[in-house]
Amino acid sequence: MAESLSTDVLILGGGIAGLWLNARLRKQGFATLLVENASLGGGQSVKSQGIIHGGAKYALHGALTGASEAIADMPRRWREALAGSGELDLSGVRLLSDAHYLWSPGTLAGNLTSFFASKAVRGRVDQVKGDALPPALQHPKFKGKVYRLAELVLDVPSLINRLAELAGDGLLAAREIEPLLEDGQLKGLRIDGREVRAQRIVLSAGAGNQGLIEALGLSQPAMQRRPLHMVMVKAPSLKPLYAHCLGGGPKPRVTVTSHPAADGQWVWYLGGDLAEADGVARSEAEQIAAAEQELRQLLPWIDLSAAQWATLRVDRAEPAQSGLVRPDNAFLHEQGALLVGWPTKLALAPDFADRVLAAFARDSLRPAHHSPLPALPRPPVAQPAWEELLG
């Protein structure tokens, strides 16, 4: 029987949210152990487009909402971390683009001009032309308007690797968990048969939270899934593009991010309205056909004759909301020593950590003394989906 362990905080789920929280806690002197049952970042994180957005896309149809105000400070906090001067040192993480763009096809350009001149977004958005355009849009046939947003696009695999480094020896690959109860109170977990005691347990496993909540004999908080059907295309002709293409509705018609593949080519990863309800209802072949039609219509000069295509279904896991709407902030539910949360999007991982730390401060939780951790089986880091699907 493996010896029992003790720590201050036991974190279940090794996506960006759990790894970011883990690093923040360790920096503040807490002993932590993060448990992952598959690969680090292998759920939603590695399937993210990597955009650290500040809410401008939510303001496309009117004034800034609660969503955009809550998220507005995130690009600054991530920038400081990437510079090595923020709450975490992420200075080695690869930045794919220091801006994300809004691009309107010629037909929609007019009504955007007045919107971007409005007080709501002034100072956040600048129009760009000519050589300042993203490389993929620098073509004589391009007729739309392009606006630069002060948002970042990160290489998520390098972010996961860096956060895993910051976890030190505190990562554990494990499959089975059971509650460790004393007098009806949760005192830790039995993990693959090993007892691990902790002052607090945090569930940050995205879609995996539901099974963990049930394994602990609980029913709350309830979770919702909002599915996406993303598209990947790799071709020698592709140049970098990080942009929301605007349609007539409140969501971008298509959101494009570009990712370097191991063979040196660029992969375009396509989300936005293309990947939402209509896209979810399509088969893989139908979704690829729809994506190809969109690109040929919007960017007819791009040669797709040698393109490789694949699709990826992703479930966004979030706290249940009435009407399956998008939550506006990171979410945290507390029940004694157990905390359950979802950041609700990559950009809000720091907000999720803030909420956990605020709960600990309110409860006057302090680091205790623990024996050093033994050598533990370490979970692998997830591979990017395009390397597996477009190898």
Side-chain angles (χ1 to χ4, degrees), residues 37 50 62 78 99 124 138 174 195 210 219-220 247 263 285 337 348:
N37 71 351
W78 282 86
R124 299 189 187 199
Q138 292 183 22
E195 289 189 357
Q210 191 161 8
S219 58
Q220 292 293 325
D263 63 4
L348 285 166

Side-chain angles (χ1 to χ4, degrees), residues 282-304:
R282 295 184 192 114
S283 68
E284 180 178 18
E286 290 166 343
Q287 181 69 336
I288 288 170
E292 187 168 3
Q293 184 181 351
E294 280 284 71
L295 292 184
R296 289 190 189 284
Q297 193 176 345
L298 293 167
L299 306 164
W301 55 88
I302 291 178
D303 177 9
L304 296 172

Side-chain angles (χ1 to χ4, degrees), residues 166-203:
L166 293 175
D169 61 356
L171 296 173
L172 172 62
R175 303 291 304 177
E176 300 295 324
I177 71 133
E178 300 167 63
L180 193 60
L181 300 171
E182 286 177 10
D183 301 325
Q185 299 294 308
L186 187 65
K187 295 296 183 184
L189 298 174
R190 192 170 283 105
I191 301 172
D192 286 353
R194 184 201 301 259
E195 289 189 357
V196 183
R197 293 171 182 274
Q199 298 191 64
R200 292 291 184 275
I201 298 163
V202 182
L203 307 189

Side-chain angles (χ1 to χ4, degrees), residues 15 65 95 372:
T65 62
L95 186 63

